[in-house]
Amino acid sequence: MGSNRTTTLRCIFTMLGDPSGLSHAEAADSLFLILDVFCGRNGPCSETLTEAKGHRWGWDISDVFLFRSNDRLAQIQEPGRSLIHIPSTGPGYRGVSDDSNFAGDRRESFNLRMPQSMSNELCGMGENRWPSSAEWNEEFRSSSEEYFQLCFQTCSELRRALAHEKCLGPFLGSEANSDRAFARSSSLLGFTHYNYNDFKPSAGYVVADASEQVFGIRPHQDDGLCTLLYTDGQPGLEYAKCRSAGSMFFAESCRSDEQFSKDILWEEVPFLPGHWIVNLGTDLFRWAQQRSKETSDCRSCKATLHRVVPKCRERYSMPFFYEPNLDAMDPCQPHKKRYEYLIEDAK
Ligand SMILES: O=C(O)CCC(=O)C(=O)O
Ligand SMILES: [Fe+2]
């Protein structure tokens, strides 16, 4: 990584612009947002993840998947209870179809949790594991931690913008409360690889009408408040456009069989070099719902329903999942804690 990257990264906060400029309509009705990211002020740069490898990162994203650390379970200690294990989240490597939340997917992933340099508080996500001897390890570690921090700060800015009076309104009663709900954030930086070369249709999902469908990643909503997604520009990411199927966007859980419905209209998400794709998550829906119940002029925010379908031989992406503390509580009924949703979702 050279000084080049540090200079471009600094532009993000100015490119985000005036937070109060995000209108309510944009926040509530867009199924995804697109934020400028790696660009300078002189227009979009053309870098993709793969083009960026030598001079931006100093490591190649495909090398990340050579390091097959064990998946670490997230866990939380509640007063007076034994340790609660939360499956299918936390840092580490998950092989193709190994993730119990996405058992039929053609996807492998490697996740990093919040670097200790950002917070000394125990977030319950276990420890990051790093390749021990690989030459690129040092570069990988420092640049991915720096990228993590950038994503976290950007999402925090976005959260405050969404909580503006003119937008979705304050979350959890006040900015201080919602800041506190991220003090032990379970955010994850993911590296994702879709490999369709050994494509086996029978390994996919059998859906309600008994037809088989194969996905890079099945239709789902991300948990957490939002996701900043950067990809290598290969096609395949789609979002659900059909508004009439309201219940599917408002689902209590991130995944449900309804999301396989043939009635959903899917549209390709365009790749804009130098821009993040922003998915809105189910926690944002829950946090915003409180407000919509209190006032008549504010509707709740839809979590982005999306999927990745095989449209190329191979694809890489880097999602950053912006997630509150594992024990952050819903502001509205049924007042559940995040980890309870995660455990239910993994069943
Ligand atoms: O790879 C992508 O473009 C999307 C990844 C995704 O949706 C996820 O990891 O939750
Ligand atoms: Fe996703």
Side-chain angles (χ1 to χ4, degrees):
M1 184 200 342
S3 56
N4 187 19
R5 189 171 78 91
T6 317
T7 317
T8 42
L9 291 188
R10 241 184 251 130
C11 296
I12 176 64
F13 298 108
T14 49
M15 296 302 285
L16 198 56
D18 172 15
S20 61
L22 262 181
S23 77
H24 167 71
E26 272 171 325
D29 288 342
S30 308
L31 293 175
F32 68 90
L33 304 167
I34 293 191
L35 277 186
D36 297 335
V37 51
F38 298 123
C39 318
R41 285 174 180 277
N42 302 327
C45 54
S46 62
E47 289 191 73
T48 66
L49 275 180
T50 41
E51 282 166 4
K53 64 181 183 186
H55 70 279
R56 184 194 291 279
W57 299 106
W59 46 270
D60 185 334
I61 188 166
S62 60
D63 288 344
V64 173
F65 300 95
L66 299 175
F67 175 56
R68 306 206 158 181
S69 74
N70 291 332
D71 186 3
R72 288 275 180 110
L73 290 187
Q75 49 193 29
I76 188 154
Q77 182 73 68
E78 289 278 49
R81 295 184 60 179
S82 51
L83 206 57
I84 303 166
H85 298 283
I86 307 161
S88 294
T89 188
Y93 172 81
R94 269 152 243 163
V96 173
S97 306
D98 258 4
D99 185 334
S100 64
N101 287 336
F102 296 98
D105 293 345
R106 303 299 308 149
R107 177 185 76 126
E108 59 180 339
S109 64
F110 177 78
N111 286 334
L112 294 174
R113 55 150 273 184
M114 180 182 262
Q116 243 121 32
S117 56
M118 282 177 66
S119 167
N120 283 326
E121 300 215 46
L122 289 175
C123 65
M125 297 296 272
E127 296 301 313
N128 278 335
R129 300 187 134 206
W130 305 97
S132 53
S133 59
E135 257 180 34
W136 51 269
N137 180 30
E138 202 181 314
E139 189 71 49
F140 173 59
R141 189 170 176 150
S142 63
S143 57
S144 59
E145 288 190 351
E146 194 186 331
Y147 183 72
F148 193 110
Q149 189 155 9
L150 171 84
C151 289
F152 190 86
Q153 281 169 0
T154 305
C155 286
S156 301
E157 298 252 327
L158 180 60
R159 164 168 59 83
R160 291 179 193 122
L162 290 168
H164 194 275
E165 279 296 341
K166 287 188 199 147
C167 197
L168 293 171
F171 298 133
L172 309 184
S174 70
E175 194 166 294
N177 285 351
S178 56
D179 283 349
R180 264 193 292 278
F182 279 86
R184 287 169 284 106
S185 165
S186 58
S187 295
L188 288 169
L189 172 59
F191 302 85
T192 307
H193 177 215
Y194 305 88
N195 188 347
Y196 307 115
N197 287 316
D198 55 345
F199 190 77
K200 289 189 201 77
S202 60
Y205 297 89
V206 177
V207 294
D209 63 1
S211 64
E212 282 168 348
Q213 293 185 21
V214 174
F215 299 102
I217 186 166
R218 58 157 286 173
H220 68 283
Q221 296 160 311
D222 296 341
D223 52 66
L225 242 70
C226 61
T227 303
L228 295 186
L229 179 65
Y230 203 67
T231 82
D232 64 1
Q234 290 295 316
L237 176 65
E238 298 181 336
Y239 75 101
K241 227 188 149 191
C242 173
R243 303 272 168 97
S244 58
S247 62
M248 282 179 279
F249 303 117
F250 289 8
E252 277 282 296
S253 60
C254 294
R255 286 159 293 280
S256 82
D257 284 351
E258 283 175 285
Q259 295 167 343
F260 290 117
S261 164
K262 295 263 189 301
D263 298 334
I264 300 175
L265 194 62
W266 294 97
E267 188 147 308
E268 178 95 26
V269 178
F271 172 73
L272 280 180
H275 291 70
W276 273 310
I277 294 153
V278 186
N279 291 326
L280 308 182
T282 48
D283 281 322
L284 182 64
F285 161 67
R286 293 183 190 115
W287 285 24
Q289 209 181 17
Q290 169 83 350
R291 164 86 169 178
S292 69
K293 280 184 184 155
E294 287 170 354
T295 64
S296 54
D297 65 333
C298 193
R299 289 156 299 159
S300 56
C301 190
K302 291 163 182 159
T304 313
L305 179 57
H306 58 289
R307 66 181 191 178
V308 175
V309 291
K311 284 195 176 165
C312 52
R313 294 182 71 76
E314 231 180 343
R315 184 171 179 276
Y316 289 97
S317 68
M318 273 170 64
F320 173 80
F321 304 102
Y322 183 60
E323 301 184 355
N325 308 344
L326 285 172
D327 58 358
M329 173 98 81
D330 266 355
C332 49
Q333 290 289 349
H335 296 299
K336 281 203 255 183
K337 294 185 173 178
R338 274 198 73 236
Y339 72 82
E340 298 180 82
Y341 286 108
L342 294 174
I343 292 171
E344 270 171 37
D345 241 13
K347 278 182 190 152

